[in-house]
Amino acid sequence: MNLPLHGSLSGRHVAVLLGGLSSEREVSLVSGRACAEALERLGARVSRVDAGRDLAQVLTALKPDVCFNALHGAWGEDGCVQGVLETLGVPYTHSGVLASALAMDKAKSKAVLAAAGVVVPGGGLFDRFEVARDHVIPPPYVVKPNAEGSSVGVFLVFDGANRPPQEVVAPDWTYGEQVMVEPYVRGLELAVGVMDGKAMTVTEIVPKTGFYDYEAKYGDGGSEHIVPARIPAHVMEKAKKLSEMAHEALGCRGVTRSDLRYDDINDVLVLLEVNTQPGMTPTSLVPEQAAAGGVDFDRLVLWITEDGHARSGAGGIARRSEG
């Protein structure tokens, strides 16, 4: 993709939303700092906004031309902040209100994706106390919050497990009364970035911890990323196609990342979820995939920003000028 930098963002005022209120705050701070630095290299005037409950007042005072949303997790990625920005009439990056809310709710997004022909795991939502009492589906299975990201609060229950995870009923559990329980798909962890509706490539993720958890995602050396993935050509194409279908079915915009599992023994590929605001940290998957396709970090940030600035309608619908 040819994304020239000349003229780029000179004179543009960009508010970078980072930090926020979710359990993924620390990751968002890293993503936001990296994007803000890239925007400054591109000539933009950058305001770093640690997004709190006073976000509307802060942005009203700043009057940015566009918001680069580098928030992750609840409130920043689930349609809430997007609704604030729609109300203020400020253009913003990534997906709109409905797509953000849908993608964050694993149960509802799976229903939409399945209806669109995307292969997703089975399972469903269960009360967390019911899940802690007994196996609600036969092991092996995965237990995870219905509306969190970055593998926060995720547990694997393998064959022969004597009891389900008791952490879901611990006093410090803050991830909701219902949890998603779905069959565990053995095999390879895959990720596909989608940019402007087109899949980039497929990354194979090899976690050093045995599971692609929070530390494996964001810790230094927590996982190895192999680009492109070591999978057959037909699986590569199917992973890209499913990711494009998922991006479209949920109504996503800009850049997304789909997470998939491939059972290489039974040749089964399933799409786990769509991330509407993928990480932009030094270990993040989407910047790696963009670089593999010849788009460096600054050009990626430039495209995301320009794509967001082109929108003005409800839901973040893009309205592009001839330029």
Side-chain angles (χ1 to χ4, degrees):
M1 186 178 293
N2 184 22
L3 299 173
L5 291 177
H6 60 272
S8 52
L9 298 177
S10 180
R12 192 77 53 86
H13 182 194
V14 183
V16 176
L17 309 185
L18 71 167
L21 308 175
S22 83
S23 59
E24 299 174 65
R25 171 180 170 81
E26 293 306 315
V27 180
S28 172
L29 288 171
V30 179
S31 283
R33 282 195 292 264
C35 294
E37 290 166 4
L39 288 163
E40 286 173 338
R41 289 192 295 270
L42 291 163
R45 178 163 66 94
V46 177
S47 295
R48 293 163 173 81
V49 178
D50 193 336
R53 298 293 181 188
D54 60 347
L55 180 62
Q57 296 95 305
V58 171
L59 292 178
T60 298
L62 285 175
K63 296 181 173 59
D65 297 309
V66 61
C67 280
F68 191 107
N69 189 353
L71 298 170
H72 301 312
W75 192 66
E77 195 172 354
D78 60 5
C80 293
V81 161
Q82 289 79 5
V84 171
L85 298 172
E86 291 285 346
T87 302
L88 294 176
V90 179
Y92 58 93
T93 61
H94 301 84
S95 293
V97 176
L98 178 58
S100 300
L102 258 182
M104 182 60 79
D105 189 310
K106 294 180 176 68
K108 290 181 174 58
S109 62
K110 282 173 68 173
V112 171
L113 295 175
V118 178
V119 183
V120 296
L125 280 182
F126 296 87
D127 180 85
R128 65 189 178 105
F129 291 95
E130 180 185 1
V131 168
R133 276 194 301 270
D134 198 5
H135 299 304
V136 293
I137 65 174
Y141 60 83
V142 183
V143 179
K144 54 188 175 184
N146 187 48
E148 288 287 338
S150 290
S151 300
V152 173
V154 177
F155 304 95
L156 300 185
V157 181
F158 292 107
D159 285 321
N162 293 326
R163 60 191 306 204
Q166 298 304 297
E167 290 89 346
V168 298
V169 292
D172 60 351
W173 180 264
T174 59
Y175 306 128
E177 293 306 303
Q178 290 190 308
V179 293
M180 172 66 66
V181 181
E182 58 190 23
Y184 173 70
V185 179
R186 65 153 308 280
L188 305 177
E189 188 94 30
L190 304 176
V192 179
V194 176
M195 184 175 180
D196 203 22
K198 298 296 181 183
M200 297 179 184
T201 185
V202 183
T203 298
E204 177 186 346
I205 301 157
V206 184
K208 302 294 178 63
T209 59
F211 169 55
Y212 194 46
D213 58 9
Y214 186 93
E215 283 304 314
K217 283 186 176 182
Y218 302 112
D220 188 19
S223 61
E224 179 185 2
H225 299 170
I226 300 170
V227 188
R230 301 168 297 185
I231 53 177
H234 77 277
V235 181
M236 177 83 68
E237 290 310 308
K238 186 175 181 181
K240 292 165 70 172
K241 180 63 176 176
L242 288 178
S243 300
E244 291 173 354
M245 290 169 62
H247 181 100
E248 182 177 1
L250 295 176
C252 297
R253 306 288 173 183
V255 172
T256 63
R257 190 195 77 240
S258 289
D259 297 333
L260 307 96
R261 295 281 293 187
Y262 174 56
D263 181 342
D264 52 339
I265 292 178
N266 299 300
D267 194 28
V268 173
L269 179 68
V270 298
L271 191 143
L272 302 177
E273 63 182 272
V274 176
N275 299 273
T276 54
Q277 285 166 215
M280 297 287 282
T281 73
T283 58
S284 295
L285 294 153
V286 165
E288 282 187 343
Q289 291 195 358
V295 179
D296 64 25
F297 189 81
D298 286 8
R299 284 179 169 82
L300 176 62
V301 170
L302 171 61
W303 185 89
I304 293 171
T305 305
E306 293 286 24
D307 178 69
H309 191 257
R311 302 177 209 169
S312 58
I317 303 300
R319 293 180 181 174
R320 301 181 189 280
S321 68
E322 289 302 312

